[in-house]
């Protein structure tokens, strides 16, 4: 049985229609734009969200981040799960 809040390895996270990741000079960095909402994205969130294209699986995203940042996969998995679950709860990401 999967952990509470766990994301399936084969899930293909993506930004839903109407939500996009973009650079904003006014906000001083990357932001996640949604209808009538804007969320500032830190550098870590940007690296994760850039990979959420609907093409790569959650497992592949975690593997890529662990390799790119030379970090333990279980730690990356936990951090990415927290971020993506939070965004999904706000309807800013589809899992």
């Amino acid at each position: 049985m999967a952990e509470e809040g766990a994301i399936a390895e084969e899930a293909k996270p993506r930004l839903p229609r109407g939500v996009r990741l973009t650079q904003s000079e006014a906000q001083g960095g990357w932001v996640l734009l949604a209808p009538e909402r804007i969320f500032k994205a830190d550098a870590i969130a940007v690296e994760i969200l850039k990979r959420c294209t609907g093409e790569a699986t959650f497992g592949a995203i975690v593997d890529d981040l662990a390799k790119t940042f030379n970090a333990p996969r279980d730690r990356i998995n936990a951090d990415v799960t927290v971020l993506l679950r939070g965004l999904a709860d706000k309807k800013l990401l589809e899992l």
Side-chain angles (χ1 to χ4, degrees), residues 8-45:
E9 288 281 318
E10 63 275 4
K12 293 185 176 179
R14 68 181 191 89
L15 299 178
R17 189 166 173 217
V19 177
R20 64 190 165 107
L21 181 67
T22 187
Q23 277 196 298
S24 167
E25 286 185 30
Q27 295 292 324
W30 288 89
V31 294
L32 200 52
L33 292 177
E36 300 180 22
R37 298 183 292 174
I38 186 168
F39 297 87
K40 188 148 173 61
D42 66 22
I44 295 167

Side-chain angles (χ1 to χ4, degrees), residues 5 7 32 37 39 49 78-93 95:
I7 298 172
L32 200 52
R37 298 183 292 174
F39 297 87
L49 290 169
D79 292 348
V80 173
T81 296
V82 169
L83 176 73
L84 298 188
R85 273 279 163 231
L87 291 173
D89 290 348
K90 293 178 178 79
K91 307 291 187 236
L92 295 170
L93 187 83
L95 294 172

Side-chain angles (χ1 to χ4, degrees), residues 25-87:
E25 286 185 30
Q27 295 292 324
W30 288 89
V31 294
L32 200 52
L33 292 177
E36 300 180 22
R37 298 183 292 174
I38 186 168
F39 297 87
K40 188 148 173 61
D42 66 22
I44 295 167
V46 169
E47 287 299 321
I48 295 167
L49 290 169
K50 282 181 177 178
R51 291 165 169 81
C52 294
T53 61
E55 300 290 317
T57 63
F58 175 76
I61 291 168
V62 170
D63 288 341
D64 185 43
L65 289 165
K67 181 180 164 196
T68 300
F69 295 102
N70 194 24
R73 189 185 192 281
D74 57 339
R75 176 63 194 263
I76 296 287
N77 187 317
D79 292 348
V80 173
T81 296
V82 169
L83 176 73
L84 298 188
R85 273 279 163 231
L87 291 173

